[in-house]
Amino acid sequence: MMDFDNLTITTAATLIKKGELSPVELLESKLQRITKLDGQLNSFIHLLMDDARRTAQNCEREIVSGNYRGPLHGIPIGLKDVYNLAGVPTTAHSKIMQDYVPSSDAFSVKRLKEAGAIIMGKLATHEFAFGGPSFDLPWPLARNPWDTTRFTGGSSSGSAVAVAAGLILGGIASDTGGSIRTPAAYCGVAGLKPTYGLISRSGILPLAWSLESAGPMAWTAEDCAILLQAMAGFDPMDPTSMNCPIPDYSAALTNDIKGLRVGLLRQFYTIDNPVNDATRNAIDAAAHDLEKMGCIVNEIQLSPLAEWNACGVIIMVTEAYANHEANLQQRFMDYGEIFRDRLALAGLFTAADYIQAVRRRRELIEEFDRKMNDFDVILTATTANEAPKIEAIGKFSIFERPLLTIPYNVTGSPAMTVCSGYSDAGLPLSMQIIGKRFEDTTVLRVVDAYERATAWRRRRPVLQ
Amino acid sequence: MLIKVSNNLCLGEKMTKEELDIALMNLGLQVPETERADILNAVKYIEEMKTLVRKPRFLTTEPANTIAFPKLK
């Protein structure tokens, strides 16, 4: 009997192509699982049952008639609720946007549809991809499937939860300071923040324009490569979209990483933002695993994490403040408390602060690029620990400790979260692999090889 | 009428409740009284960040997002 709950995109696509799995059957199994489990997980804001069923039937007809489009054809996925989907509310999980119904799809959504993906619905997010965890929004907080009392991380909470719980096979998300990589870490899935400019941002509600990347989440790097393939590409409507050749990401997953130079960025997670023992030990073990696979691992050092964090956070919150200024002045109480108070604090930054941060950004990018001449990828921590209790997250938590994820939003580099083991309590541990801009293939190749060499992808959350 | 207040406090200088009230008023934000104490407590974080992005720089040091207009074809 087929294990529908734990199917990856890669496996499902192989079966669908061979005619051994029907997209309709696959979709129905996911709808049943959502009906059974999402009442406790809250990953979906809008479930599009009828639309998804119609699309699945169309996919089946196309495939049977010999018009197989590729590995996303007939695969059920979900969208973080900041992606425009024509005719469906796009709310950013906020009362402010609850009546907004876009008339067209985001560029990347159009690409996913063209690849044959089935959009099952819109997924929970922290308010406007920034506030959270919040209990005062129109929709409930998404819950971590490994332990529903634990934080999912944010902001792409619903995408990570739904993938980890096997409700969807791919989650489409966005990352401005860690919003793909942090929930991927806490929920034990793979999450890629691609190079800035690789995926169009048009049709996606922004948090901070100059830091934000759209990107995929899935159970494995192999699945993320398939999603990235569909999403990446030039869009003249996004002024930061890069018109560059798009490689074959899946073909790059050769399981051969011999000779790759890995920079172990211990300074960030042992000195600048010390992680707990379990996280540190898992990264040390991963460095050893990569060496055994033929990588050359040496330490790398960068400017203190607090400086990267200050640069990234100032840019992020001031751009967000500018974007929300009118609504903050007119509808302050329609935002959740966490979002509105974080942005009220952001209002205390001046124009000069922003410009100094952007000047610092150029210096940091130049430093990063110089250091990366000696390395192909960096290995470091994603978060300081496994998923904390929800109540441990304070209103201003993002200002309290430097984010281990934000330096690569500052540099625009591809960065990926990968599961690196499990804590004694059975919660996922994680690490981060970072590459050079537009070398997303190298990041995916390293993560894929690591996943194949370790047993972490075999464990799933136990859900009743 | 807007009352001018500097948001650029020196490191270690603590913003007062009155200064925060004026700053929020200048921003045009109607922040409930119960939430102002939380914001005031968090001001220290942004003051530290303001310091961290300021380095000795010559006047010609450009920001990362200086606009380059598309080349004429």
Side-chain angles (χ1 to χ4, degrees):
Chain A
M1 187 172 163
M2 194 172 292
D3 178 13
F4 286 106
D5 297 345
N6 298 325
L7 275 177
T8 62
I9 293 174
T10 306
T11 310
T14 305
L15 295 169
I16 287 172
K17 189 179 180 184
K18 286 198 280 188
E20 293 173 12
L21 175 63
S22 141
V24 172
E25 192 184 12
L26 175 59
L27 177 74
E28 288 303 326
S29 77
K30 293 301 169 192
L31 290 174
Q32 277 176 24
R33 191 162 171 82
I34 290 166
T35 304
K36 182 178 159 194
L37 296 174
D38 210 40
Q40 50 177 310
L41 298 175
N42 308 324
S43 66
F44 276 88
I45 288 182
H46 297 290
L47 181 61
L48 303 169
M49 275 200 190
D50 294 341
D51 287 352
R53 282 184 168 129
R54 264 193 301 273
T55 311
Q57 283 159 3
N58 288 338
C59 288
E60 188 149 305
R61 272 195 293 273
E62 287 176 358
I63 293 165
V64 167
S65 60
N67 296 314
Y68 180 69
R69 298 192 207 178
L72 279 182
H73 205 171
I75 299 295
I77 64 170
L79 307 174
K80 179 178 181 176
D81 201 21
V82 295
Y83 280 76
N84 281 352
L85 182 61
V88 177
T90 298
T91 69
H93 212 123
S94 176
K95 184 178 178 185
I96 297 284
M97 298 293 290
Q98 65 184 351
D99 299 323
Y100 171 59
V101 181
S103 57
S104 58
D105 294 335
F107 179 85
S108 49
V109 172
K110 210 178 297 172
R111 300 279 303 246
L112 288 160
K113 282 182 171 178
E114 286 164 2
I118 300 169
I119 311 292
M120 294 185 70
K122 307 299 283 295
L123 299 163
T125 166
H126 288 176
E127 187 173 25
F128 284 106
F130 185 52
S134 301
F135 294 91
D136 56 354
L137 304 179
W139 299 273
L141 179 71
R143 297 290 180 151
N144 193 320
W146 296 88
D147 176 347
T148 55
T149 68
R150 300 276 176 166
F151 189 35
T152 56
S155 62
S156 309
S157 50
S159 307
V161 169
V163 169
L167 308 184
I168 54 177
L169 277 66
I172 306 305
S174 63
D175 188 316
T176 310
S179 286
I180 288 175
R181 290 159 291 155
T182 305
Y186 287 162
C187 295
V189 304
L192 172 68
K193 181 200 88 65
T195 300
Y196 183 82
L198 187 61
I199 297 177
S200 168
R201 294 175 297 106
S202 68
I204 302 172
L205 297 176
L207 174 60
W209 305 280
S210 76
L211 296 169
E212 192 150 323
S213 293
M217 283 183 181
W219 189 248
T220 63
E222 194 176 24
D223 286 0
C224 285
I226 292 169
L227 290 164
L228 179 63
Q229 197 74 54
M231 295 171 77
F234 177 61
D235 173 14
M237 298 304 290
D238 175 356
T240 60
S241 177
M242 290 296 291
N243 194 353
C244 59
I246 303 299
D248 184 333
Y249 294 108
S250 296
L253 309 183
T254 58
N255 202 23
D256 179 7
I257 55 173
K258 283 190 193 75
L260 279 185
R261 301 163 303 166
V262 177
L264 181 60
L265 185 45
R266 289 178 62 88
Q267 162 213 336
F268 275 10
Y269 65 89
T270 59
I271 299 167
D272 299 346
N273 184 359
V275 301
N276 69 3
D277 290 350
T279 302
R280 193 184 59 248
N281 293 340
I283 296 172
D284 288 347
H288 189 56
D289 288 338
L290 293 175
E291 270 184 330
K292 282 197 291 188
M293 295 161 76
C295 293
I296 302 149
V297 180
N298 285 299
E299 282 211 31
I300 180 174
Q301 292 211 316
L302 295 171
S303 288
L305 180 61
E307 295 193 13
W308 293 86
N309 186 66
C311 172
V313 168
I314 291 176
I315 294 169
M316 178 168 66
V317 301
T318 50
E319 289 187 8
Y321 182 88
N323 205 12
H324 288 272
E325 185 179 43
N327 277 331
L328 286 165
Q329 290 171 339
Q330 293 156 22
R331 303 177 60 185
F332 192 74
M333 297 305 286
D334 283 346
Y335 290 96
E337 182 175 338
I338 288 184
F339 185 90
R340 67 181 182 240
D341 284 0
R342 285 180 182 176
L343 280 206
L345 182 67
L348 303 180
F349 284 117
T350 65
D353 296 329
Y354 177 75
I355 299 295
Q356 299 293 13
V358 185
R359 292 172 96 194
R360 186 73 188 122
R361 185 177 189 182
R362 181 181 288 273
E363 294 161 352
L364 289 170
I365 290 170
E366 286 171 357
E367 175 192 329
F368 184 83
D369 290 352
R370 266 196 316 276
K371 292 285 177 81
M372 286 301 280
N373 284 332
D374 297 329
F375 298 96
D376 297 300
V377 293
I378 287 176
L379 165 61
T380 193
T382 308
T383 58
N385 38 254
E386 58 272 32
K389 288 280 187 185
I390 292 169
E391 61 271 20
I393 309 300
K395 188 190 286 187
F396 295 105
S397 58
I398 69 147
F399 296 94
E400 289 166 7
R401 283 178 77 169
L403 297 166
L404 289 151
T405 43
I406 206 165
Y408 321 105
N409 299 91
V410 170
T411 61
S413 316
M416 187 162 194
T417 286
V418 53
C419 180
S420 57
Y422 295 88
S423 69
D424 290 343
L427 296 168
L429 302 168
S430 65
M431 63 186 193
Q432 208 177 175
I433 300 287
I434 301 103
K436 297 174 184 173
R437 284 187 297 284
F438 296 100
E439 294 192 10
D440 305 61
T441 45
T442 310
V443 172
L444 285 161
R445 183 152 60 100
V446 172
V447 174
D448 172 66
Y450 175 78
E451 285 177 344
R452 288 174 193 278
T454 53
W456 314 130
R457 292 299 70 197
R458 292 182 208 140
R459 196 190 298 193
R460 294 269 189 167
V462 178
L463 292 157
Q464 303 297 331
Chain B
M1 189 182 81
L2 292 181
I3 300 167
K4 188 169 166 46
V5 61
S6 169
N7 292 332
N8 268 325
L9 301 175
C10 297
L11 189 63
E13 188 181 338
K14 198 167 157 47
M15 182 181 247
T16 65
K17 172 68 169 49
E18 290 69 30
E19 286 170 331
L20 177 68
D21 289 344
I22 293 167
L24 294 175
M25 188 178 73
N26 283 345
L27 290 169
L29 305 184
Q30 307 290 317
V31 180
E33 200 57 40
T34 51
E35 295 171 26
R36 292 183 183 229
D38 291 346
I39 295 170
L40 190 61
N41 279 333
V43 167
K44 59 180 179 283
Y45 301 124
I46 68 165
E47 292 305 326
E48 186 185 352
M49 288 182 186
K50 289 175 180 202
T51 307
L52 285 169
V53 293
R54 285 176 165 79
K55 299 283 176 188
R57 293 185 183 103
F58 194 59
L59 294 172
T60 53
T61 306
E62 297 207 17
N65 61 350
T66 307
I67 291 173
F69 292 106
K71 289 188 177 67
L72 290 173
K73 288 184 180 165

